[in-house]
Amino acid sequence: MNRLDTKAQQEKLQYLSYRDALTNLYNRNRYMSVLENYGQNKGQLIRNVGVIYMDLNELKKVNDEQGHEAGDSYIRRAAQQIVAVFPEHTYRIGGDEFVIRLNNATEQDTKECMQRVKEALAAADKKTDIPISAAMGYAWSDDPDKDTEKLLQNADAQMYENKQMMKKSNIR
């Protein structure tokens, strides 16, 4: 194997280490790398940060009733809708959990972005027998030098409240 082959193989491994195989979105490894390198910014000035945390509803039901292939399709369809709105800074950080990170965004921008994702998922509902449903929460900071992991925790807590409200209201 020559140096070019080795370099190409290393680049492929690097790509795969930061991409989710099912959705081709960035994965948890990439998200953690972004958080770890956040303070270094590599010359990029980031003033405001918004985070949207999403958890798909009904994945277990889809898996139990229609099989894991249908569950994988459900996740892929959701990812396609998310990436159609946010082609970058979108991460699948767990089985049915997604994070969108918005740099240099206002709080209003973050809320509007979350609404756009909701609309994209709702539009996808019309194209299939298995509608896509997700609980969502967001957090925003005008001081991103603070603990950026705290932003994710706040967005996650808000998402959990949204999920509980959806269950109580029988919203799928």
Side-chain angles (χ1 to χ4, degrees):
M1 188 180 301
N2 66 34
R3 274 195 259 170
L4 287 177
D5 290 338
T6 301
K7 184 176 183 201
Q9 193 171 30
Q10 286 174 338
E11 288 173 357
K12 182 177 180 181
L13 287 173
Q14 176 76 18
Y15 177 84
L16 293 173
S17 72
Y18 285 138
R19 290 288 179 169
D20 174 61
L22 183 63
T23 64
N24 205 36
L25 294 176
Y26 288 124
N27 63 17
R28 183 184 264 312
N29 291 339
R30 175 67 176 167
Y31 187 74
M32 297 310 292
S33 176
V34 166
L35 290 181
E36 288 169 10
N37 294 322
Y38 182 75
Q40 298 167 12
N41 283 341
K42 299 183 181 173
Q44 182 183 22
L45 182 60
I46 300 173
R47 292 196 169 87
N48 305 314
V49 174
V51 174
I52 299 169
Y53 194 102
M54 300 174 51
D55 183 87
L56 299 180
N57 297 323
E58 307 290 332
L59 178 62
K60 182 177 178 357
K61 182 179 177 184
V62 171
N63 281 334
D64 290 349
E65 293 177 4
Q66 299 180 28
H68 289 278
E69 190 172 313
D72 287 351
S73 176
Y74 185 72
I75 292 168
R76 276 193 303 271
R77 286 187 311 109
Q80 288 168 350
Q81 297 308 310
I82 297 165
V83 83
V85 178
F86 298 101
E88 289 296 324
H89 309 292
T90 303
Y91 309 83
R92 179 177 175 218
I93 62 167
D96 62 351
E97 298 171 340
F98 299 86
V99 170
I100 300 166
R101 184 179 167 89
L102 306 164
N103 294 332
N104 296 319
T106 65
E107 184 172 13
Q108 186 61 33
D109 292 338
T110 305
K111 288 179 185 178
E112 289 171 4
C113 290
M114 190 167 73
Q115 184 59 38
R116 287 176 34 213
V117 171
K118 287 179 182 180
E119 291 168 2
L121 293 175
D125 284 356
K126 298 173 183 158
K127 299 176 184 173
T128 181
D129 293 337
I130 306 171
I132 302 170
S133 174
M136 295 184 204
Y138 83 94
W140 178 84
S141 176
D142 62 356
D143 186 3
D145 291 333
K146 289 184 180 176
D147 184 12
T148 57
E149 185 63 31
K150 187 73 172 162
L151 274 174
L152 182 62
Q153 291 170 355
N154 292 342
D156 181 36
Q158 192 182 89
M159 179 280 304
Y160 184 74
E161 288 174 19
N162 181 238
K163 187 174 273 295
Q164 294 300 86
M165 183 274 307
M166 292 172 89
K167 283 181 181 179
K168 285 180 184 173
S169 302
N170 262 345
I171 299 172
R172 51 154 201 86

